[in-house]
Amino acid sequence: MANRHLARSVAMQILFQWDFRGRPTAVLPAIINDIFKEFGAGLENEYDYIVNTINGVIDKLKKIDAVINKYSINWPVEQLTVIDRNVLRIGIYELKFSTDVPAKVAINEAIEVAKTYGGQSSGKFVNGVLGAIYNDIVSSGKQKK
């Protein structure tokens, strides 16, 4: 389980670099390779998870960012810190689009990554946004396990 947590951290760092550089798809493989080499030691078994998560986030980016804009009241996605924005992207991807991650795990992991890499209030912010999304999922009857 600790490996998956570290894999999420690596995925967030890759998305951070990609986003910070202006989202260049041409250099994404190089970013993945560089970050994985630097921070992915011992995570070889999680490489597919990392790449699938990154590709999933990028493939669903417009939908994910629309969800962020809907639920982060007064904080459009462009105004969020790069860390908070990408932690939310991973959390929303796992919560709404991934079938491999239980909803509560997606939320808890996103909160922990936000606390580790974000600012003082990042964990609470991520918790509030993902919690509201989860509550709407539950109330709509589309809850995943």
Side-chain angles (χ1 to χ4, degrees):
M1 191 59 92
N3 280 350
R4 185 54 60 96
H5 177 73
L6 292 174
R8 280 185 183 87
S9 295
V10 170
M12 189 281 302
Q13 291 173 28
I14 291 166
L15 286 171
F16 175 93
Q17 282 270 345
W18 173 76
D19 196 14
F20 185 77
R21 292 180 180 187
R23 297 188 260 171
T25 41
V27 298
L28 184 59
I31 294 170
I32 292 170
N33 188 46
D34 291 347
I35 298 293
F36 192 79
K37 274 185 184 177
E38 188 167 347
F39 300 106
L43 295 176
E44 291 77 15
N45 292 339
E46 299 294 336
Y47 183 80
D48 288 342
Y49 162 80
I50 293 168
V51 172
N52 290 338
T53 299
I54 291 163
N55 288 333
V57 168
I58 292 171
D59 289 344
K60 304 279 188 200
L61 190 64
K62 287 184 181 181
K63 290 180 181 181
I64 291 170
D65 284 358
V67 172
I68 292 172
N69 283 330
K70 178 180 177 182
Y71 287 92
S72 64
I73 300 163
N74 298 324
W75 288 99
V77 71
E78 306 83 30
Q79 291 181 2
L80 297 175
T81 67
V82 181
I83 296 286
D84 290 353
R85 180 169 53 233
N86 287 292
V87 169
L88 281 172
R89 285 173 173 160
I90 293 170
I92 292 168
Y93 171 74
E94 289 188 333
L95 189 60
K96 292 185 69 77
F97 302 106
S98 174
T99 58
D100 300 336
V101 181
K104 291 184 180 183
V105 171
I107 295 168
N108 289 333
E109 286 291 322
I111 293 166
E112 291 306 314
V113 172
K115 285 180 183 178
T116 301
Y117 294 98
Q120 192 173 22
S121 61
S122 292
K124 290 179 183 179
F125 176 70
V126 167
N127 183 33
V129 172
L130 295 180
I133 295 167
Y134 177 75
N135 288 338
D136 283 354
I137 290 170
V138 171
S139 67
S140 73
K142 297 179 182 176
Q143 180 180 6
K144 71 178 198 175
K145 302 291 177 191

